[in-house]
Amino acid sequence: MTADLILVNGRFTTLDRSNPNPEAVAIADGRFLDVGTRAEMQALAGPTTRTLDLGGRRAVPGLIDSHMHIIRGGLNYNMELRWDGVRSLARAMEMLRKQVAVTPPPQWVRVVGGFTEHQFAEKRLPTLDEINAIAPETPVFILHLYDRALLNGAALRAAGYTKDTPNPPGGEIIRDNDGSPTGLLLAKPNATILYATLAKGPRLPPEYQLNSTRHFMREMNRLGVTSIIDAGGGYQNYPDDYAIIEKLHADGELTLRLAYNLFTQKPKNELADFAGWAKQVKPGQGDDLYRHNGAGEMLVYSAADFEDFKVERPEMPPSMESDLEPVVRLLAEQRWPWRLHATYDETITRALNVFERVNRDVPLEGLHWFFDHCETISDRNIDRIAALGGGIAVQHRMAFQGEDFVERYGARAAERSPPVARMLEAGVKVGAGTDATRVASYNPWVSLAWLVTGKTLGGLRLYPQRNLLDRETALRLWTHANTWFSTEDGKKGQIAAGQLADLVVLDRDYMNVPEDEIQDVESVLTLLGGKVVFGAGDYARLSPPLPPAMPDWSPVRTFGGYQKRATVDDRKYALMSGCGCDSACGVHGHRHAAALRASAPTRDEGAFWGALGCSCWAF
């Protein structure tokens, strides 16, 4: 067979142990035709074969996210101001101010997850007063992890929250002395109040949702992602909310491979959801670009232990087992793989009791079921999962919440949150992902950095050496290990003859850059089935055209998505990093000369500068 494309002069990490470091790669009909020496690959060239010189760059298999909410996220991406990667609250608030200025009524400005206060130099969130000063009339909604949302006065009015609005179960509306909502919503511990409030905002029309999803897919391609397993989500109903992604698939505009799980939407009626869906769709139904993957991550609401490490661990209700067993039994009988959200070992223990009971009647062997998250899983339960042939999909939520976990449970408990190396030693199938977009960032390299370094975005080292992974092992969890979770073993995830030709050329050498730079890696060339879906730098001319983000006030037009550290004026924002306000300072504005700071005769800069009338140092 003649090659369509030959890649030469690259440093290929194939993750194929039988052929780890080839010189060149040949691609034909969407698959890797052969992998070997340059001379061997050039022998496969024909008159129409294109050859690309990779300039000595590192090339890896296309990354696969085993847990993300891209279908829901794509519908809203163009409306969201992303603070992912922003390193100072001062810069985040400047972005907010600029977006407020161009957002027309009745639209909201939304910062919907993907960041943590710990990544900011100031180590704090904005205050409600700061948000209201920037946006007195435009609704602003800021979601922080699973634990809280900040709404300005305009957003409270738009959402209809008043003195008379009761607290929902598992959530709290913080009020002032008069009983009026302040704008702070807390998950205690259920995040439903946060997501239900967000759902009150305007939606994009279908044409804009198509555009939004295309831009989100391009953003993922820019970061080297070629496949995603979508974990469903609240307010993501099947089949209604899948119309946009299915149209993109039908129109040949998908630039990612998607395997989707179905997430029940009906507390107390979950069994009816899955029984109905089992008559509509079967696992594996679809093609290599878009296919059904089974049930979850929500199977029954009584088994959902939403994590919020700022509050105590929730106890699952006594009905958990009786609710869960008929659903799991139905799925096992229908041969539907499933995934179950479980943060805490206590929840995992009770779920495994159900799984083992079902397994005695309906063997689970060969069924690719797994737990998501598992931050506090015990060795005993790891071994129970291994014995049942299950898997664990881990995410880098601790990179965003590690400080909160340590404050509540201590540094010793955090050392194995989760114990990824122990899972691998036990023979459990382990894959990696992000749980983006609301809890953590969708950037896979932040996850890879977390797996390798054990550090949070705030710089806290969580894990001892025994729970860290080497770079190749971490990359395996982000590539072919994840194919088990979509029941596509051997089909992709390696640069090997016969596999789907999904490949990424990196802007820096992941295998050798300093640890601190891993989170900054991105793609300069992304191939999906041998076709270019993203190009930058020397390969920008190969990148397929993409229409501008819609609507014209979209934050994506101004800011893009994940914020690169290299594009930030670090000196400017470092000098502003102590600002407790986001307005011009009465003494010297934001011109905090480093020498002036260093010479201040005090350790308490806030008190010192505040005494002189400086508002930006008065915390």
Side-chain angles (χ1 to χ4, degrees), residues 97-120:
R97 178 189 284 112
K98 289 181 178 179
Q99 187 56 43
V100 166
V102 299
T103 301
Q107 294 293 337
W108 298 14
V109 177
R110 313 161 198 234
V111 180
V112 187
F115 78 99
T116 171
E117 62 184 307
H118 304 294
Q119 77 193 43
F120 294 147

Side-chain angles (χ1 to χ4, degrees), residues 91 94-95 109 147-148 190 239 243 246 263 328 396 401 405 413 423 437 480 536 605 613 617:
R91 180 167 182 263
E94 181 178 298
M95 293 169 67
V109 177
D147 68 78
R148 67 194 57 211
N190 193 318
E246 291 185 352
F263 183 116
V328 171
H396 63 313
Q401 303 177 86
F405 188 98
M423 296 171 184
T437 59
H480 75 90
E605 291 176 322
W617 287 108

Side-chain angles (χ1 to χ4, degrees), residues 23-167:
E23 295 178 346
V25 172
I27 295 170
D29 291 340
R31 294 180 179 270
F32 294 116
L33 175 60
D34 204 355
V35 181
T37 67
R38 182 166 183 164
E40 290 170 337
M41 299 306 103
Q42 293 288 14
L44 299 172
T48 61
T49 300
R50 180 171 59 176
T51 298
L52 280 182
D53 189 317
L54 303 189
R57 297 178 179 89
R58 178 71 60 182
V60 302
L63 302 184
I64 303 169
D65 191 328
S66 62
H67 184 135
M68 191 179 167
H69 301 274
I70 191 166
I71 295 175
R72 180 183 66 193
L75 302 179
N76 304 295
Y77 177 72
N78 280 1
M79 290 194 294
E80 296 175 357
L81 177 66
R82 304 302 308 182
W83 284 354
D84 305 44
V86 177
R87 302 302 165 140
S88 76
L89 179 59
R91 180 167 182 263
M93 294 298 281
E94 181 178 298
M95 293 169 67
L96 182 65
R97 178 189 284 112
K98 289 181 178 179
Q99 187 56 43
V100 166
V102 299
T103 301
Q107 294 293 337
W108 298 14
V109 177
R110 313 161 198 234
V111 180
V112 187
F115 78 99
T116 171
E117 62 184 307
H118 304 294
Q119 77 193 43
F120 294 147
E122 298 89 338
K123 303 298 181 185
R124 69 175 183 88
L125 293 173
T127 67
L128 292 169
D129 286 343
E130 289 168 344
I131 299 168
N132 278 295
I134 286 176
E137 302 298 335
T138 303
V140 173
F141 176 99
I142 299 175
L143 177 70
H144 183 255
L145 306 175
Y146 271 143
D147 68 78
R148 67 194 57 211
L150 305 175
L151 281 70
N152 67 345
L156 286 173
R157 293 190 294 272
Y161 288 150
T162 68
K163 281 184 179 182
D164 301 323
T165 305
N167 287 332

Side-chain angles (χ1 to χ4, degrees), residues 373-425:
H373 313 314
C374 296
E375 276 84 0
T376 72
I377 192 171
S378 63
D379 287 349
R380 177 174 180 271
N381 280 338
I382 292 173
D383 293 337
R384 292 172 73 191
I385 293 171
L388 275 178
I392 301 173
V394 298
Q395 299 80 38
H396 63 313
R397 305 189 308 178
M398 288 294 289
F400 294 78
Q401 303 177 86
E403 288 85 353
D404 299 329
F405 188 98
V406 169
E407 183 176 348
R408 177 162 292 276
Y409 298 109
R412 176 59 66 87
E415 289 182 355
R416 43 175 295 135
S417 57
V420 180
R422 172 65 174 79
M423 296 171 184
L424 292 169
E425 292 168 3

Side-chain angles (χ1 to χ4, degrees), residues 414-422 451 463-469:
E415 289 182 355
R416 43 175 295 135
S417 57
V420 180
R422 172 65 174 79
L451 289 166
Y463 310 132
Q465 188 63 40
R466 66 179 179 275
N467 199 32
L468 300 180
L469 304 184

Side-chain angles (χ1 to χ4, degrees), residues 7-14 20-25 53-61 475 495 503-513:
L7 306 177
V8 299
N9 194 23
R11 286 179 284 180
F12 297 96
T13 299
T14 66
N21 298 299
E23 295 178 346
V25 172
D53 189 317
L54 303 189
R57 297 178 179 89
R58 178 71 60 182
V60 302
L475 185 61
I495 302 175
L503 177 144
V504 183
V505 182
L506 305 177
D507 71 336
R508 65 198 75 192
D509 188 354
Y510 160 73
M511 301 301 291
N512 293 300
V513 294

Side-chain angles (χ1 to χ4, degrees), residues 179-377:
S180 298
T182 64
L184 176 60
L185 308 181
L186 296 180
K188 285 200 166 182
N190 193 318
T192 299
I193 184 177
L194 312 182
Y195 299 160
T197 304
L198 179 60
K200 294 175 181 287
R203 301 182 66 176
L204 292 174
E207 179 186 1
Y208 288 21
Q209 290 179 340
L210 287 164
N211 177 278
S212 178
T213 301
R214 290 186 65 190
H215 274 270
F216 196 14
M217 290 191 297
R218 177 65 65 91
E219 171 76 347
M220 299 312 302
N221 297 151
R222 183 181 72 83
L223 295 169
V225 177
T226 56
S227 291
I228 288 173
I229 306 176
D230 186 272
Y235 301 92
Q236 185 177 328
N237 293 285
Y238 182 84
D240 297 349
D241 292 324
Y242 290 69
I244 296 297
I245 202 70
E246 291 185 352
K247 177 170 174 51
L248 290 170
H249 177 232
D251 292 346
E253 293 185 339
L254 290 185
T255 63
L256 293 166
R257 304 186 191 279
L258 298 179
Y260 62 94
N261 285 73
L262 296 184
F263 183 116
T264 183
Q265 304 291 324
K266 300 175 182 176
K268 305 298 183 184
N269 291 287
E270 299 95 338
L271 183 61
D273 254 352
F274 290 114
W277 288 333
K279 298 174 182 177
Q280 296 178 257
V281 63
K282 301 296 181 185
Q285 182 174 318
D287 56 30
D288 290 336
L289 278 173
Y290 182 72
R291 64 201 306 274
H292 179 234
N293 196 51
E297 63 181 298
M298 181 75 79
L299 297 183
V300 296
Y301 279 78
S302 57
D305 64 353
F306 292 107
E307 127 283 345
D308 177 0
F309 299 135
K310 288 185 179 293
V311 300
E312 63 279 359
R313 176 182 64 83
E315 288 286 350
M316 298 300 95
S319 65
M320 172 182 161
E321 287 83 354
S322 60
D323 294 340
L324 184 60
E325 182 167 341
V327 171
V328 171
R329 192 171 294 275
L330 170 71
L331 297 174
E333 290 170 348
Q334 296 291 324
R335 303 307 292 170
W336 269 46
W338 71 80
R339 63 193 309 158
L340 179 63
H341 170 115
T343 298
Y344 297 100
D345 189 58
E346 291 80 358
T347 307
I348 296 167
T349 296
R350 294 176 63 180
L352 281 171
N353 293 341
V354 172
F355 297 173
E356 289 168 345
R357 189 157 54 245
V358 171
N359 181 62
R360 288 194 286 269
D361 302 324
V362 187
L364 305 184
E365 183 178 357
L367 196 60
H368 292 209
W369 65 269
F370 55 97
F371 285 103
D372 282 301
H373 313 314
C374 296
E375 276 84 0
T376 72
I377 192 171

